[in-house]
Amino acid sequence: MIAGLPWTAWLLLIVSVGLGLSIVLVFYRTHRRNGASGSSGLEETG
Amino acid sequence: MASYTILGVFIAYLLVLLGLGLWGRRASHSVAGYYLAGKKLPSWVIAFSSNATGESGWLLLGLTGMGYLVGIHALWVVLGEVLGVTLGWVLVARPFKVYTDRYGAITVPDFLVARFRDKRHGLRFMSVFIILSMVVAYLAAQLVATGKAFETFLGMSYAGGVVLGAAITLFYTTVGGFKAVAYTDLVQGVLMAAGLTVLAVVGIGGAGGWLPLMDQLRAIDPALLMPMGEHGLSTPGVISALGFVGVGLAFLGVPQLLTRFMAAKDEQEIVSGSLIAVICIIIFDLGAVFAGMAGRALFPGLDDPETVMPLMSTDLFPAFLTGIFVVVVLGAIMSTVDSLLILASSAVVRDLVQKVFRPDFSELRLSRYGQVTTVLLGLFAIPFALAEVQVIFWFVLFAWSGLATAFAPVVLCALFWKRTTLAGALAGMAGGFLTTVIWVVAFKAQFYDLYEMLPGFFVGGALTILVSLFTKPPEGADEEFDSVKRVVGPAFGRRTVN
């Protein structure tokens, strides 16, 4: 029991919020960087 | 005195909506202007508008009621919705935007017809039928919620509430089109986020704080604090959790949300909007669930758990803030009603009149037809609402599922699998939609009330893939698919050009 809730409830709460938030943060950081690095973030690979 | 204060807040809100309706009028003289605000919307607007549209009165009354009834078990809805919104923005939004810009698409059927080169309009007719049938059911349920909200908060008659709510929404939707709808959604979404946060914090405080609240809930029923609820880790418990998660699948492709991606100014607005949308949905959902749980401790033994939010707002707050909560509830309902009206109107005017029967009509004439159709659809839904449909949120969840299972699997296949064919899309759309209806009528009760979204989504996706494997993809779709993929790039890496 942590702060009145079973640990499984905390786990569900953390996953509910954390999973989506982590994915969108990685997406946001990637594309803001790409957008800011000029040429729409395009990278020549040969 | 208190009711005058509430009324004053409500009238101020009404004036804001009417002002936005008149302000949006300038953009509504063409079909693209009336139905997509000229594709010029910024990130904040599309993010709040998509969430406010997706959530409806169900969030304020239904999800708080769910938190009241099942406690922590309702977090499975949060998981489903947060993941659904995240994947919708991260995976679906950008390729959908690129495709629809290339096609000059204004509606989701426009996209499907162009993607699958459907010259006989089969996808268009089927889409229009599904959109109209589901939207009328959805609209009627939302207008019932409007009538009940006016009745509960302002002491109006139920019928008067339905008619007044419909009249306000019809005015700004008809006059201002999608631009007015999107910006009023922004106002309504901000109010919903703020209102639910305050409600949850004050509710928890009213119960004596976090730990006393948990103690009280445990004393009422220990299952309220368990992730698998009263059923525990059993078949009914798992099915209930899966059904709750399934609510979020619709965020991957219901037409009323996809139009927000189309209306974005550019791809960068989608990137910015993604973060706003996910944070917004987290605030919406956690606020509703924890407010409901606090309500269970404060007002145990309610006959109807869906009255907990109105009860908390009138009991815990002074009249001015109660007035704000009235506006929040009505805003949640109206933000969905206006979007459904625009969606159904676009299905009639763009998909049938302009694209099938009278392509020769001028843009101005079609936009006027759009306004008239919006009014007629609203008037058509009012008698259903006046008959007072008893099970509001059952209806909402059914229509939500009907639209999602018809469109989302097909849209996902169209965006991510180049082998998808016209026959596959037709089979998937019909199969997903019919499975939703048949599941509710014939099977749901025998399978622990498993939410129709899951079988509908599965059948819709499976049929799209299976039929596509045995039929020929449209000419040129392969090259087009690769080209869009190159432009969009990967969701999590740097774009590459060969």
Side-chain angles (χ1 to χ4, degrees):
Chain A
M1 200 72 75
I2 305 163
L5 270 180
W7 69 269
T8 47
W10 283 111
L11 182 66
L12 177 59
L13 177 60
I14 291 165
V15 172
S16 303
V17 174
L19 191 55
L21 196 56
S22 310
I23 293 171
V24 84
L25 274 173
V26 174
F27 170 78
Y28 180 78
R29 282 175 59 95
T30 304
H31 289 277
R32 291 305 281 186
R33 199 170 51 230
N34 282 352
S37 64
S39 308
S40 307
L42 293 177
E43 190 177 72
E44 297 290 338
T45 59
Chain B
M1 186 64 196
S3 60
Y4 283 118
T5 312
I6 295 172
L7 202 60
V9 175
F10 174 68
I11 289 171
Y13 168 69
L14 209 66
L15 292 174
V16 171
L17 294 187
L18 300 184
L20 284 170
L22 292 171
W23 173 69
R25 191 168 51 173
R26 279 182 304 171
S28 60
H29 297 310
S30 66
V31 177
Y34 187 68
Y35 289 123
L36 281 186
K39 296 194 175 188
K40 288 178 186 161
L41 295 183
S43 57
W44 280 92
V45 179
I46 50 172
F48 272 94
S49 178
S50 69
N51 282 349
T53 297
E55 290 297 351
S56 82
W58 178 81
L59 175 76
L60 274 299
L61 305 178
L63 191 56
T64 49
M66 206 179 266
Y68 182 97
L69 198 64
V70 299
I72 285 292
H73 187 52
L75 286 179
W76 290 102
V77 176
V78 183
L79 174 65
E81 292 208 335
V82 172
L83 265 184
V85 169
T86 301
L87 297 178
W89 282 82
V90 167
L91 298 179
V92 175
R94 289 181 315 132
F96 190 72
K97 172 76 178 156
V98 171
Y99 265 118
T100 51
D101 279 356
R102 281 188 182 194
Y103 295 148
I106 291 176
T107 62
V108 176
D110 270 354
F111 159 72
L112 294 173
V113 164
R115 168 72 176 81
F116 297 112
R117 281 61 164 170
D118 180 12
K119 295 189 179 73
R120 293 180 181 172
H121 301 296
L123 278 169
R124 217 179 268 284
F125 284 121
M126 197 184 290
S127 300
V128 171
F129 170 76
I130 292 169
I131 286 173
L132 288 182
S133 58
M134 289 295 98
V135 161
V136 169
Y138 212 145
L139 268 179
Q142 294 296 330
L143 289 178
V144 170
T146 314
K148 290 194 171 175
F150 274 109
E151 194 178 29
T152 311
F153 285 115
L154 296 175
M156 286 182 71
S157 71
Y158 169 79
V162 169
V163 172
L164 181 62
I168 298 162
T169 319
L170 276 173
F171 174 79
Y172 73 74
T173 309
T174 306
V175 172
F178 191 81
K179 188 172 182 182
V181 166
Y183 278 89
T184 52
D185 282 357
L186 171 67
V187 174
Q188 289 154 345
V190 170
L191 284 171
M192 285 158 72
L196 282 166
T197 306
V198 171
L199 193 69
V201 170
V202 171
I204 292 169
W210 179 262
L211 286 175
L213 171 63
M214 294 302 125
D215 289 340
Q216 290 169 62
L217 290 173
R218 191 176 300 105
I220 294 168
D221 181 359
L224 289 170
L225 303 182
M226 305 305 288
M228 299 309 290
E230 60 171 333
H231 300 295
L233 196 57
S234 61
T235 307
V238 171
I239 283 181
S240 168
L242 282 175
F244 284 2
V245 173
V247 173
L249 282 172
F251 286 95
L252 295 173
V254 279
Q256 66 268 39
L257 303 188
L258 291 173
T259 49
R260 268 69 193 164
F261 300 145
M262 276 194 250
K265 200 166 95 187
D266 54 39
E267 277 187 74
Q268 271 308 308
E269 297 300 330
I270 288 176
V271 172
S272 307
S274 64
L275 190 57
I276 300 167
V278 171
I279 291 172
C280 170
I281 199 79
I282 290 171
I283 294 171
F284 276 8
D285 284 3
L286 286 187
V289 170
F290 285 124
M293 288 171 67
R296 181 72 179 258
L298 293 167
F299 307 100
L302 290 180
D303 288 335
D304 181 0
E306 286 167 2
T307 58
V308 69
M309 189 263 164
L311 195 59
M312 286 173 80
S313 69
T314 47
D315 225 70
L316 301 177
F317 296 92
F320 174 76
L321 286 176
T322 306
I324 298 280
F325 279 106
V326 176
V327 163
V328 169
V329 172
L330 290 171
I333 299 166
M334 287 176 180
S335 60
T336 302
V337 171
D338 56 18
S339 304
L340 294 172
L341 284 169
I342 281 283
L343 174 71
S345 171
S346 71
V348 174
V349 173
R350 167 71 172 183
D351 292 315
L352 290 185
V353 178
Q354 188 180 29
K355 285 293 177 178
V356 181
F357 298 116
R358 295 306 299 261
D360 56 312
F361 278 1
S362 73
E363 287 281 315
L364 185 64
R365 185 172 185 178
L366 286 164
S367 72
R368 294 287 172 263
Y369 274 42
Q371 291 173 320
V372 172
T373 310
T374 306
V375 173
L376 291 177
L377 283 163
L379 294 178
F380 183 68
I382 288 176
F384 291 98
L386 289 177
E388 201 168 347
V389 186
Q390 288 300 317
V391 275
I392 303 174
F393 296 118
W394 177 88
F395 235 59
V396 169
L397 287 173
F398 170 70
W400 179 242
S401 175
L403 285 169
T405 54
F407 287 95
V410 174
V411 168
L412 289 175
C413 287
L415 294 177
F416 299 111
W417 189 43
K418 66 169 86 172
R419 276 281 292 114
T420 314
T421 68
L422 172 61
L426 284 164
M429 186 177 277
F433 177 70
L434 287 174
T435 303
T436 291
V437 177
I438 293 167
W439 185 265
V440 170
V441 175
F443 298 108
K444 192 171 179 175
Q446 298 159 41
F447 288 87
Y448 303 101
D449 278 338
L450 175 66
Y451 183 33
E452 52 273 20
M453 179 78 80
L454 296 176
F457 213 91
F458 174 77
V459 172
L463 275 177
T464 309
I465 293 168
L466 270 176
V467 175
S468 292
L469 285 173
F470 294 100
T471 45
K472 197 167 167 274
E475 197 109 338
D478 199 339
E479 297 76 21
E480 183 181 65
F481 184 93
D482 290 336
S483 157
V484 170
K485 199 174 164 187
R486 271 196 304 278
V487 170
V488 173
F492 299 107
R494 290 178 70 81
R495 289 185 216 189
T496 57
V497 177
N498 292 310

